[in-house]
Amino acid sequence: MLRTFKNRTERSYESLAKRTGVSSSSLHRYCSGTKIPTDYGSIQRFAKECGATQEELRELHRLWVLADAVRRGQPEPDVDTPPENTPPENTPPEEPHRSRLRRRLAVIGVAALVLVVGGVTMSLLSAGRQTGPPAVGGPLLLSSACPPVVSMGQHDECAREVQALLSRAGAEIEVDGDFGPATLRRVTAFQVLADLQPRGVVDEATKRALYDQKVSMATWPPEQVERRIREVFPEVPDRAVGIARCQSYLDPLYVLTNTNGTRNWGVFQLSDKLLAELGGTQRQAYDPEWNIQAARRAWSRHQDFRDWKHCDQPFRTSAPPSSIPR
């Protein structure tokens, strides 16, 4: 699929590398199938630069999820690195060739598995759209009526079941069967709270955790969040509330993915970098009290909101410098 995107444009790998922030050699390996990217963001930017449609981006995401699962489940073949040990003198001349052949066959095997599983996934999705709510005897998500991975872009009963289970866990979410950005955020938050890898897609482990109903997503309402921010930031209460509202709509379980693959977490949308500087975890960032106190610590370092420049800009331009609280 990446090769198809590349063939649509007259841009070189070097040109695309400059626009996507990914090295030209990495892009070439992704398109040639010799390497699977570790994050979706890099190939999403590449696909967009090549003019991919939204439908194609959704399909690309599904295929990447499946390929990434294969990559994490077994060692990735390395076709560029020669064997560490040279063969003994009595080794027949054809042995190095056979070794290289085995590695190439391993690459082909991984690619074939991705294509097969991807085809099964799309068949199941198509069947779900055509036949409506499937009749199953057990949990819907764990049945053959749903694909192995429920992900962004689906609009069917499987997506509706994910939303219903998230709502049952206490999440504020609309149960409409449309797996869009709002559902993606809630799935990611659930995975963090369930101590699962926050990939934003509903895989086997996430499905079982949803049905186990051991995770509570109940959290503070916006009114309580605003009240607490004003208490923690008595010097600049309106400004602090305004920045938090700009960042997360005062939603403690809000998460945003950046174009470089990093993410921001919680009320004040603490970036991965800032979260590491403050010695916190993603799970702590979803605790509104911890998140607000962490933002206070970041503010106290310089007595300003330089870590939130974008959302702080209106406060800097709406009044003369002498009247802006610091």
Side-chain angles (χ1 to χ4, degrees):
M1 194 170 194
L2 292 175
R3 282 197 300 271
T4 300
F5 294 152
K6 175 62 174 66
N7 291 338
R8 290 179 185 173
T9 178
E10 296 180 355
R11 295 181 184 177
S12 65
Y13 281 111
E14 289 73 16
S15 173
L16 290 167
K18 293 177 181 179
R19 299 294 297 270
T20 59
V22 182
S23 70
S24 59
S25 58
S26 292
L27 291 179
H28 188 274
R29 284 194 290 269
Y30 297 159
C31 290
S32 64
T34 59
K35 184 175 178 62
I36 298 172
T38 57
D39 71 283
Y40 173 67
S42 60
I43 57 172
Q44 181 189 43
R45 295 193 299 276
F46 173 81
K48 285 184 175 180
E49 287 296 327
C50 294
T53 65
Q54 287 300 315
E55 184 66 28
E56 288 172 331
L57 289 174
R58 286 192 289 268
E59 171 64 3
L60 179 65
H61 183 261
R62 292 193 189 101
L63 293 177
W64 173 79
V65 168
L66 295 168
D68 185 56
V70 173
R71 180 187 63 80
R72 291 182 294 106
Q74 64 185 58
E76 182 180 338
D78 187 350
V79 299
D80 297 326
T81 305
E84 293 182 0
N85 299 320
T86 58
E89 293 182 357
N90 59 351
T91 300
E94 65 271 21
E95 281 303 311
H97 171 72
R98 291 176 181 174
S99 179
R100 289 194 298 272
L101 179 60
R102 283 195 294 270
R103 290 197 299 275
R104 283 171 171 76
L105 288 175
V107 175
I108 294 171
V110 171
L113 177 60
V114 172
L115 289 173
V116 170
V117 177
V120 172
T121 299
M122 292 307 297
S123 298
L124 289 171
L125 288 176
S126 299
R129 292 191 183 99
Q130 294 170 0
T131 61
V136 294
L140 176 61
L141 294 179
L142 299 176
S143 72
S144 60
C146 289
V149 175
V150 181
S151 60
M152 181 86 161
Q154 284 187 229
H155 186 88
D156 54 21
E157 289 304 309
C158 300
R160 186 184 299 276
E161 177 79 346
V162 169
Q163 294 169 333
L165 292 169
L166 290 169
S167 178
R168 190 183 306 172
E172 289 289 333
I173 187 172
E174 184 177 358
V175 182
D176 58 2
D178 187 2
F179 197 128
T183 303
L184 174 66
R185 287 192 289 270
R186 291 308 187 227
V187 168
T188 302
F190 177 85
Q191 290 171 325
V192 170
L193 298 174
D195 295 324
L196 299 172
Q197 186 179 3
R199 301 174 63 222
V201 297
V202 185
D203 53 15
E204 183 77 11
T206 305
K207 292 176 183 179
R208 295 191 179 279
L210 283 167
Y211 282 118
D212 285 343
Q213 299 181 35
K214 295 180 180 179
V215 175
S216 173
M217 300 187 71
T219 189
W220 295 3
E223 298 77 15
Q224 184 177 355
V225 173
E226 177 175 350
R227 185 167 59 251
R228 186 56 180 149
I229 291 174
R230 292 184 180 279
E231 293 170 353
V232 174
F233 288 88
E235 305 90 341
V236 284
D238 292 340
R239 192 169 182 176
V241 169
I243 288 173
R245 183 176 283 112
C246 169
Q247 289 284 337
S248 68
Y249 305 98
L250 304 182
D251 178 1
L253 299 182
Y254 201 85
V255 59
L256 183 67
T257 301
N258 303 310
T259 56
N260 62 359
T262 62
R263 285 180 281 196
N264 301 338
W265 308 89
V267 172
F268 274 92
Q269 286 293 273
L270 305 177
S271 66
D272 287 332
K273 180 177 181 293
L274 183 57
L275 193 60
E277 291 176 1
L278 297 173
T281 64
Q282 296 166 352
R283 188 184 184 94
Q284 287 176 310
Y286 277 137
D287 177 349
E289 178 66 25
W290 191 95
N291 192 292
I292 295 170
Q293 293 290 351
R296 169 74 192 195
R297 283 190 283 142
W299 176 85
S300 298
R301 294 187 295 190
H302 306 284
Q303 296 288 296
D304 64 21
F305 290 99
R306 65 181 60 187
D307 291 300
W308 298 271
K309 291 179 181 179
H310 175 72
C311 284
D312 191 39
Q313 189 63 31
F315 294 94
R316 293 182 175 276
T317 59
S318 61
S322 59
S323 64
I324 297 178
R326 297 290 292 176

